[in-house]
Amino acid sequence: MSATKVTVRLTVNGKDYVREVEPRYLLADFLRHELHLTGTHIGCEHGVCGACTVLINGKTGRSCLQFAAALDGAEITTVEGIAGDGPLHPVQEAFHEAHALQCGYCTPGFLMTTIEFLGQNPDPDRDEIRQALTNNMCRCTGYLNIIDAVEDAAKRLREGAREA
Amino acid sequence: MKPAAFDYHRPDSLEEACALLAEHGASARVLAGGQSLVPLMNMRILSPAVLIDINRCRELSYLRREDGVIACGALTRQGEAETSDLVAAHLPLMAAAMPHVGVRASRNFGTVCGSLAHADPLAELPSVAAALDARFVIASSRGRREVSAGDFFVSALTNCIEPDEMLAEVRLPVMPATARCAFLEIANRAHGFAVAGVAASIDLDRDGRCTRARLSAMGAGDTTARLAEVEALLEGQRLDDALIGEAGAAATAAAEPAEDVHASADYRAQVIGTLVRKALRQMLNPQGGRG
Amino acid sequence: MKAIEDFTLVGKTILRREDAYLMRGKAQFLDDLPEPKGLIHIAFVLSPYARADILSVDASAAKALPGVIDVLTGRDFAGDIKLFAPVIEIGGYRPVGRPVVAVDRVNFVGEYVAVILAESPYVAQDALDLVDVSYDPLPSVAGIRDAMKPDAPVLHDHLGDNLIFRTAFETEGFADRFAEGDVVLEEEFRLGRVTGVMIEPRGCMACPDPIATNLTLWTPTQIPHIVRTAIADHLDISESVLRVVTPAVGGGFGTKAHVYPDELIVVALARRYGRAVKWVQDRREELLTNAHAREHILKIRIAAKTDGEIRAVHLDVKTNCGAYPNHPYSPTLEATAAVRMMPGPYRIRNYKYDVCSVTTNTAPTGAYRGTGQPSAFLAIEGMMDRIGRRLGLDPADVRRRNVIRPEEFPYVNVVGVRYDTGSYSQSLERGLEMIGYDAFRAAQPKDRLVDGKYRGIGICNYTEVSGTGAPGWRVRGFAKMPGFDSSRVVVEPDGKVTVYISQADAGQGHYTTFAQLAADRLGVDWADVTVVEGDTSKTPYGTGTFASRGSVVGGGTVIRCSEKVGVKIRRLAGYMLNADPERLVLRDGRVFDPDDAARGLTLREVAETAYSMNNLGLPQGEEHGLEATDYYDPPMVTMANGTHVVQVAVDPQDGRIEIERYAVVHDCGRVINPKIVEGQVHGATVQGIGEALMEEIVYDAEGQHLNANLLDYLLPTAMDVPDLELSHIETPSIDTVGGIKGAAEGGLTGAVPALANAVCDALSGLGVNITRVPLRPSFVLEQIRNAQAAGEGRT
C-alpha cells in the first residue's frame, strides 16, 4: 500500500491553492489543517451530523466524506468565505438576531445549507425550511430559532434583491 | 476515524476504469459519490487497497430516454434525478422516492447507481428499481452484461457484480402514462433512515381491474425484492377494500424482516402490510397516484 | 446595594457578542487550536470485550510503522498516575479506583487498553489496526437486574458484589402513614440509557511551557478547576504549575462536566516527553466512552386518599453505574438526585426511599442534563395520572390536590430541601390553559380514538434543582465539590471593565449575560465589559458550569463582586469630588451625585486615581487598584419550576407518535437575558423529545454496545420539533443574589414525563400501560397490538 501523494488544485473562498496530499486525506482535514480554515468542523465522519458541510462547486457536501485529492479543480466555499472580514452576510445577521446559535459548533454547516437552500427556494414556508434543515444536526438550540432565522434570512435576501 | 491508505486512480473513461478493475479486482472499489463508501472507509469497515475514482468519466453522466427506458449513467447524481423533468414525467415513482433519499448534501454527490450498487435492503432506490423492472448494465473489460433487479440484488449490501466489474448504467422502463404509483416509508423519526417502506406501481384498466402490479418493500427481508405474493393477488382483480386488506396481510405474511435496534422483525412485517394497504388506497384515489 | 429591579440590562434581550466570531468560523474549538511544534497525536486501543483478562499486548508491528513514536500499555502509566477515583463521602458508597489504561482486566467495551503515540492522527489510526491484543473473555453482565443476581459476575473483587452504592431514608412512622391510604398504587418505570451527544466530540491537548515547568491543558470541559485539582491529585503535581483552559466548547450538557482518564493521560505524557500531546475522539469513541446516563428502574408505591391526596410514597430506584464510578460524581449523583427530587412541587410528607447503583460491564454513567429529575418525574407525574384513573379524578385535579400552594412558601420538603419561592400551581394552571385542557378533556372520548388516531394529553409539573451550593453537595456525599463560584471584577486604568469568573461557557452565552450584570451594576456600557472564563490561571477557583448553576452562582458572584468594586469607586470618587460616597450613583460610565449631575467623574478618571496615573494621591488607608474578588456559595439548592403540557396523536397502524401541540411554562426566577433563557428551554425540550421518542444507547445482555454511531443512535432533526408555545413566569428567589434561578435543564425534566404521560393517556382506552422510554414506534405498536389481542380475548 503506497502513500504516494497526489497534486490537487483547489479554489477555496476564491483563492487558488496547489498542494500535494495523500489520496486518503479528507477534505475536512485538508481545509482545517492544511489551509487552517478551521471554521468547518468535524462531528461524526460518517456523513450524518452535517457539521462539516461546505459548498463544493456551489452545492452542499459533506467534507468528511470527500477526499481532497478527488476534488482537483473544484471550487469550495467554507464559512470563512461567506463574509470574509467584511460585514456579516444577511443569513448571518438573521441567525444572530434570532439567537439561532448557542455553542456555534454546528453553525457553519447550517449557514452553508441555508445559503444553498435560499438560493433554490427564496420564499419557503416553515415546513419546507424544516425539511431543508434535515441537512444538519444541532444539539443546543432545539432548531426553533434556526427555523426563525432562515425565514428571516429569506425575507432579508428578497428585500435585498429588490433593492439591487 | 481516518481511512486507511489506498492507491488512487482517476480514469477518464469507462474503458480505462474497467481496465483498472481487471488489474486490481477484489482489492479495488469504485468511487462515485462516496456517500455510502466513504463512511465505511472512515470507520475502517472497508479498507480497499485501490480506489478507482470515476468522477472524470464524463461519458457516464447522463439521464436520457431511449428505447422505452430512461437510461441513467453511473455518474448521474441523485440530485439530478430529483429535479429531472424526464424522471418526473416518465418515472414518477422514482420522483416520489427521491426526497426521502438521504439529505440534500448526500443527494448532491451520491449517485443513483451508487445507491443501487450499495444494495441496502432498507434504501429507497433499490426498491424503486425493483418495482420499476429495472435492468442493470454491468461493464468490464470483458464486455457488458445486463441483469434484472432480481439477479442484481443478492443479499444485504451484496450485489452480483464481479470483482472486475462495475455498474455502468441502470435502465428504467418508462412507466405507462396510465400507471399509478405510490412511495411510502416510515422511520423512527420524521426524516431519516427508513425502518420500512413500499414502492408500488399499478395499472388499472377501464373497469378498474388491475392489469399490472409491481411492488417492492424496504425492510421486508435481507434482500431487495419484489412482493411477488402481493402482485399475484392483485393482478387481474378489482381492487376493493377486501382485496386491499388481503394484499396487506399477504405482504406481512411473506415478510422475513430483520430485527435491529430500531425495530423488531414483527414490527417491520406489520408495517409493511400497512404501507401496502396505504399505497394501494393512495393509488386508487383519482387525485393521487401520479407521483 | 442596587436592587436588581433597578437594573436596566437585566431582563433585556441583548444579542450575543459571541455570535460574530462563531459565525465567521474564527472561534477556536479544541481541534482548531494552533498545534505546537513537535505535537504528539495519541489514539487509544479500545477493548472489544465487555469483560476480559488482558493476556498480552503485542505492539511490535505498530511500533515499526513510520510515524509511530511509541505504544504504551497500562503498566506504563501505573507509576505516574494513581488509580482514578472520585472523592465521595456518603454512607453506603464503596470506593472503586480505575487504572487510566487497563492493566490486567477490561470491564467495558471501549475501555482503554493501549495508547498509540504518533506524528499524525492518520498514522495513529493506522497503528491502532496493528496492535495485537490477546484477551481471555470472561462472563459479563450489562443489565441492572442481572448484575444484582447472586451468580452475577462481580466486577470489583474487593466489593464482593456489584452494589457499589446503596442508601435509604424513611420518615418517622412511615408504615403507619402509608396504611392510612384508601388505595395503593404501584408501578415500575424504566428509562433507557442516553448520553449528551454534543456535536463537538471531546479531546484534549497538554502543552508543556517551553520555558518554565508549567503545563497547560486545553480541554473542552465544563469544570476547569475540578479538572485541575483531579489531575494534580492523581499525578502528584502541584496545582500551581498546571493551567487548565477551555477553548470554545461545542456543547456540554453535563457530559463534558466530568474528569476523564484521557485528561490525566495527556498531561502525564506531555510531562514525560516534554512535548505537546493531543487527543481527539471520533464519534464512535464518543458514544462508547463519554459519560452515559439515565439507565434507571424506578419502582414507586403510593398510598392515596380518595380525594387524590398522596398520603405516602415509597420509591425504590436502581441505577446502572457502569464499569467504574465516574469522576467527580460517582454513581451517587444520579441515584441521590432521583430520590431527592421526586417530591417535586408536591406536598408529600411521608416518604421512604431505597436507592442503589450497581456496577456492570458497560461504560461509566454520570451527569447528563436533568440528572435524576426526568426519572423522578417520570415516576411521580406518571402516578398522578394513574391516581386519577384509579379514583375517577381528572389527573389535573390530582395535581391540584397535592401541589404546594403560593401561601405555603417558603416550604421545606420532606428531605429537607427548602423551596424559597415558586409558582408551582400558577405554572400548572397556565400550562393547562395554554393547551386548552378543559375543552380537550370534555371532548375526549373514552376510547381516545379521534379520526383514526389515539389522542391524549400529558402533563409534567416539575421542580428543577439549580445553583447548588456547598451544603447541597455535601449532603449528597460530594466531599470535594467546592459548591461556590467566584469572580474578580477589575476596572482597568482606561475605565473599561474585565470580569473574571470561575465558570466555563459551552454555548450558554456567558460572555454576554455576565457582562450585562456587571455593566448594570457598574453603570457602564455593556460593550465595555469583557468576560474571561474557563482559565484556571486567570480566574479564581470555582465549581464550574453544570447542574443549572451558571446564572445563579456565576450571576450571583458577578453581582456581588461588581457591588464591592462599586463601593470602592464611590469611595474614591467621593474623595475626589469631596462628596458623600453614599449619595453617588454609577451610570453611563460616570460617577455623580444625582442632585448635581454635571459635577461628576468618568470611571476612567476614578481609575486613574486608583492606578496612580494622576497627581492626586490616595486617601489615607486606601490601596491602589480598582478591583474586588468575591466568592459566592449559594443556598443549598434553588428550585426553579415549570410545566409541560403536550398533546399527542398515536397512529395505531404504525405506532408513530405525533406531537400536535406543546405548551411550556417556565419559571427560572429573575431572567437576565430572555432570548438566551428561551434558547435553553428549546434545546432542553428537544433533547427531552429525543429521549422520550428515539434516543437510546443499546447494549446487549453481555455488554456489547450495539449502536455507537449516529445512524443507529437517533437524534431529533428539525422535522421532529413542533412549534413550542412558551410562557414565562418570573418568581424571583428570595435566597439567591438577584433572585436568579437556574434555567437550563427543566426542558428535559418536563418533556420526558409529559410525553410518556400523553402517550399513556392516548392509549389508556386500550388498556396500554406506558411505563418506559424511549417510545419507539416498534415498541408502541407492540403494546397496542397486545392490548387489542387481550381485549379481543376477553370478548
Side-chain angles (χ1 to χ4, degrees), chain B residues 13-29:
Chain B
S13 67
L14 175 59
E15 194 186 334
E16 214 186 310
C18 289
L20 286 163
L21 280 165
E23 187 188 338
H24 296 288
S27 51
R29 282 272 169 164

Side-chain angles (χ1 to χ4, degrees), chain C residues 4-56:
Chain C
I4 197 158
E5 292 83 7
D6 300 328
F7 280 46
T8 51
L9 291 178
V10 165
K12 278 228 167 47
T13 286
I14 294 195
L15 298 182
R16 301 184 342 157
R17 58 167 46 129
E18 299 90 312
D19 288 355
Y21 63 77
L22 284 167
M23 286 196 293
R24 289 183 191 277
K26 299 240 185 284
Q28 293 191 324
F29 296 85
L30 189 277
D31 197 33
D32 304 337
L33 294 168
E35 292 180 343
K37 277 203 173 61
L39 179 66
I40 298 174
H41 294 264
I42 68 168
F44 292 109
V45 176
L46 307 182
S47 167
Y49 291 103
R51 184 163 177 261
D53 284 325
I54 301 171
L55 299 176
S56 65

Side-chain angles (χ1 to χ4, degrees), chain C residues 115 148 183 211 221 249 314 388 412-413 672 723 729 746 767 772:
Chain C
V115 188
M148 295 177 77
V183 292
I211 299 164
T221 183
V249 177
H314 178 198
V412 178
N413 82 3
I672 304 168
D723 281 325
I729 298 178
R772 63 197 311 169

Side-chain angles (χ1 to χ4, degrees), chain C residues 245-293:
Chain C
V245 194
T246 64
V249 177
F253 313 128
T255 309
K256 284 178 177 157
H258 299 83
V259 184
Y260 284 93
D262 42 83
E263 290 167 321
L264 278 61
I265 291 168
V266 297
V267 171
L269 289 177
R271 282 161 55 85
R272 198 185 295 184
Y273 284 84
R275 290 164 69 174
V277 177
K278 176 172 163 180
W279 168 75
V280 178
Q281 72 183 174
D282 62 33
R283 182 57 64 182
R284 180 171 163 263
E285 287 173 289
E286 202 277 306
L287 291 165
L288 274 178
T289 67
N290 281 355
H292 293 174

Side-chain angles (χ1 to χ4, degrees), chain A residues 126-140:
Chain A
R126 282 176 81 84
D127 282 336
E128 289 170 319
I129 293 172
R130 276 187 165 88
Q131 187 149 37
L133 293 178
T134 58
N135 215 26
N136 301 82
M137 289 188 154
C138 176
R139 199 57 169 156
C140 292

Side-chain angles (χ1 to χ4, degrees), chain A residues 22 24-26 29 32-33 38-46 48-49 51 79-80 82-88 91-93 95-99 101-108 111 126-127 129-131 133-134 136-145 147-148, chain C residues 15-20 22-29 31-32 35 122-123 126 195-201 249-251 253 278 282-284 368-369 506-508 675-676 678-680 682-684 686-687 695 709-711 713 715-719 721-724:
Chain A
E22 276 192 61
R24 64 169 166 167
Y25 203 34
L26 297 171
D29 289 326
R32 291 170 46 71
H33 296 293
T38 56
T40 303
H41 299 133
I42 290 180
C44 74
E45 285 175 322
H46 45 282
V48 179
C49 76
V79 67
E80 291 92 340
I82 296 177
D85 288 322
L88 291 180
V91 171
Q92 290 167 318
E93 287 286 359
F95 270 63
H96 177 54
E97 295 202 10
H99 185 39
L101 58 150
Q102 291 182 24
C103 81
Y105 194 79
C106 71
T107 308
L111 292 172
R126 282 176 81 84
D127 282 336
I129 293 172
R130 276 187 165 88
Q131 187 149 37
L133 293 178
T134 58
N136 301 82
M137 289 188 154
C138 176
R139 199 57 169 156
C140 292
T141 66
Y143 301 105
L144 291 170
N145 287 350
I147 297 166
D148 288 348
Chain C
L15 298 182
R16 301 184 342 157
R17 58 167 46 129
E18 299 90 312
D19 288 355
L22 284 167
M23 286 196 293
R24 289 183 191 277
K26 299 240 185 284
Q28 293 191 324
F29 296 85
D31 197 33
D32 304 337
E35 292 180 343
Y122 281 73
V123 171
D126 292 340
T195 181
V197 200
M198 47 283 149
I199 306 295
E200 182 204 22
V249 177
F253 313 128
K278 176 172 163 180
D282 62 33
R283 182 57 64 182
R284 180 171 163 263
Y368 168 50
R369 204 171 195 174
Q508 302 95 325
K675 200 99 174 117
I676 287 180
E678 196 182 83
Q680 292 294 310
H682 289 173
V686 173
Q687 281 179 310
E695 292 183 43
N709 65 74
L710 293 180
L711 297 167
Y713 184 96
L715 298 179
T717 71
M719 284 184 72
V721 177
D723 281 325
L724 300 176

